[in-house]
Amino acid sequence: MPLFRGAKRWMILVTGLLFASILLAACGEGSPSILNPAGPVARDESGVFYIILIIATIVFVGVEGMLIYSVIRYRERPGSPNPRQIHGNTTIEIIWTVVPAVILFVVLIFTIQGLFSVAAQPAGKTVEVEAVGHQWWWEFYYPEYKITTADTLHVPVNTVVHVTLYSNNVIHSFWVPELTGKTDVIPGHNNDKWFKADKTGTFLGICAEYCGTQHANMKFDVAVDNNDSFQTWVSAQQQVATQPTSGSLAQQGQKIFQEQCQSCHGIVGVDMKSYQDPKVSCDSPTAACLVGPNLTHFGSRGFIAGGVLTNNANQCQPGPDIVQRCNLAKWLNDPQGIKPGNDMAIGQLTTDQINQLVAYLEGLK
Ligand code: CUA
């Protein structure tokens, strides 16, 4: 029947596309995977995944195998009698209740073991971080070093990082697939977690709880440094912002910053005396809580505005076409077009002003 054959062809096509989309979904460029763990917490978590996958595969193959075998072996043939009815067979009912219960109990044991091993923070040297979820970017404060940064979380390799998660707005979720699983960031309830990276490199972090229109643009980088470069980074971050040379483009940019930006952004040495703990300042009725990221060392960060753009400082030489080349210039030219709904309330800047602001901000290493 041609109609039936047409329907069959469509079904094959749709099934094929479905499987292809599932397979290709894993191919997003630079997308981090929990199956690529780079630390003990992520390794424990992916271990639980593999155990469940193996058990589920055995159950699937067993059940489907028996089903297909029975469909073929016991299919209806002309003149075959009615099969024996087993409804109400106590032995069979007990077997198919107990076997799945035992299987689920085995899964439960591995899951609980994983939960305990992920919760047990090893003793030894620890770096403390407060991760603050904003709409829509991440702020990181290091209480021990008294530094604040945004979008890029620097940590030393092979060192326990203890993170306290704080929000004063909506629920976010802190997730670095290759280093640690998701933990909710809940207003009024400070969760905490730890993780450790056993190799240097950059790992993508994501907000994993829908938190408003720009939820997808709430990314951050975890930069895992060796111990020496981490200490160098800390010392550099503890310095006040670089003061631009007199008469330079950057100095004109600093003036624009003071006129247009400093009511929301902080730069230590310009509009702030020292770094402030966002967890404290945002909940204190007296201390000023910054609306936007602290920009003291903006030029050293990998992302702009929660990862909506990368900070491609090497493309940011001044010129009339700066908005075409340089992501910071693009951002300053049209922040609401690039990330609608964000808090940037900057007036329209001329190309000259953008050149000046970019020269200033990218110079803040
Ligand atoms: Cu923050 Cu989603």
Side-chain angles (χ1 to χ4, degrees):
M1 218 188 294
L3 185 72
F4 177 72
R5 217 185 298 145
K8 204 167 147 192
R9 210 172 291 155
W10 271 108
M11 257 169 66
I12 292 169
L13 186 70
V14 169
T15 316
L17 282 174
L18 195 72
F19 274 105
S21 65
I22 292 169
L23 274 174
L24 295 173
C27 300
E29 199 194 331
S31 61
S33 167
I34 63 152
L35 304 179
N36 218 0
V41 172
R43 205 168 301 116
D44 280 341
E45 287 164 344
S46 66
V48 174
F49 169 80
Y50 279 118
I51 288 163
I52 294 176
L53 181 72
I54 289 165
I55 294 174
T57 306
I58 294 169
V59 170
F60 179 81
V61 170
V63 170
E64 295 303 308
M66 276 195 318
L67 179 73
I68 291 166
Y69 173 79
S70 306
V71 164
I72 294 166
R73 173 77 177 75
Y74 300 109
R75 69 186 183 279
E76 193 184 19
R77 295 182 178 84
S80 54
N82 266 350
R84 189 162 59 87
Q85 299 301 300
I86 55 165
H87 178 76
N89 184 318
T90 313
T91 314
I92 289 178
E93 301 239 345
I94 288 174
I95 290 172
W96 68 40
T97 307
V98 169
V99 171
V102 169
I103 292 172
L104 286 180
F105 190 71
V106 172
V107 171
L108 179 71
I109 289 170
F110 283 114
T111 307
I112 290 176
Q113 194 194 35
L115 283 174
F116 274 97
S117 104
V118 163
Q121 186 183 323
K125 190 182 155 9
T126 305
V127 170
E128 284 290 334
V129 178
E130 287 170 13
V132 183
H134 293 269
Q135 279 172 309
W136 300 271
W137 54 282
W138 294 93
E139 183 165 26
F140 304 107
Y141 179 69
Y142 298 69
E144 189 188 341
Y145 308 121
K146 304 265 179 300
I147 52 183
T148 317
T149 185
D151 292 346
T152 303
L153 170 63
H154 278 261
V155 298
V157 71
N158 288 323
T159 308
V160 173
V161 182
H162 179 252
V163 190
T164 310
L165 300 163
Y166 175 80
S167 165
N168 71 346
N169 42 83
V170 298
I171 302 176
H172 305 274
S173 181
F174 181 94
W175 186 28
V176 190
E178 286 149 316
L179 295 175
T180 174
K182 302 166 187 174
T183 306
D184 275 1
V185 185
I186 303 168
H189 174 88
N190 299 350
N191 281 334
D192 69 312
K193 68 187 312 174
W194 70 276
F195 69 87
K196 193 159 111 171
D198 39 39
K199 59 179 181 191
T200 56
T202 304
F203 303 92
L204 187 66
I206 305 163
C207 177
E209 178 79 40
Y210 183 73
C211 54
T213 50
Q214 294 296 329
H215 155 71
N217 288 319
M218 190 171 164
K219 293 183 280 187
F220 61 103
D221 262 343
V222 179
V224 180
D225 308 325
N226 65 42
N227 285 301
D228 285 349
S229 42
F230 179 72
Q231 284 312 325
T232 310
W233 178 82
V234 167
S235 310
Q237 295 287 309
Q238 286 171 327
Q239 308 303 310
V240 299
T242 317
Q243 194 55 36
T245 46
S246 171
S248 65
L249 210 57
Q251 198 199 28
Q252 292 166 305
Q254 189 186 51
K255 203 163 153 277
I256 301 173
F257 173 84
Q258 287 168 315
E259 287 160 5
Q260 294 214 34
C261 317
Q262 75 172 19
S263 54
C264 296
H265 291 280
I267 293 185
V268 178
V270 179
D271 61 334
M272 296 174 86
K273 282 200 180 65
S274 63
Y275 287 108
Q276 58 192 25
D277 180 350
K279 198 170 106 183
V280 174
S281 62
C282 288
D283 273 351
S284 154
T286 49
C289 164
L290 293 176
V291 173
N294 183 309
L295 301 175
T296 310
H297 297 281
F298 171 81
S300 68
R301 296 177 195 163
F303 279 150
I304 297 170
V308 71
L309 296 168
T310 52
N311 187 12
N312 61 344
N314 58 335
Q315 298 295 310
C316 292
Q317 306 89 342
D321 64 337
I322 190 162
V323 175
Q324 273 75 51
R325 292 180 273 110
C326 163
N327 282 338
L328 177 61
K330 266 183 213 155
W331 172 248
L332 292 170
N333 185 51
D334 187 13
Q336 290 305 326
I338 290 170
K339 191 170 181 177
N342 79 80
D343 286 331
M344 278 277 278
I346 198 167
Q348 187 62 51
L349 300 165
T350 64
T351 308
D352 283 345
Q353 288 173 318
I354 289 175
N355 277 318
Q356 293 159 2
L357 260 180
V358 168
Y360 175 54
L361 293 171
E362 294 292 6
L364 299 174
K365 297 288 182 192

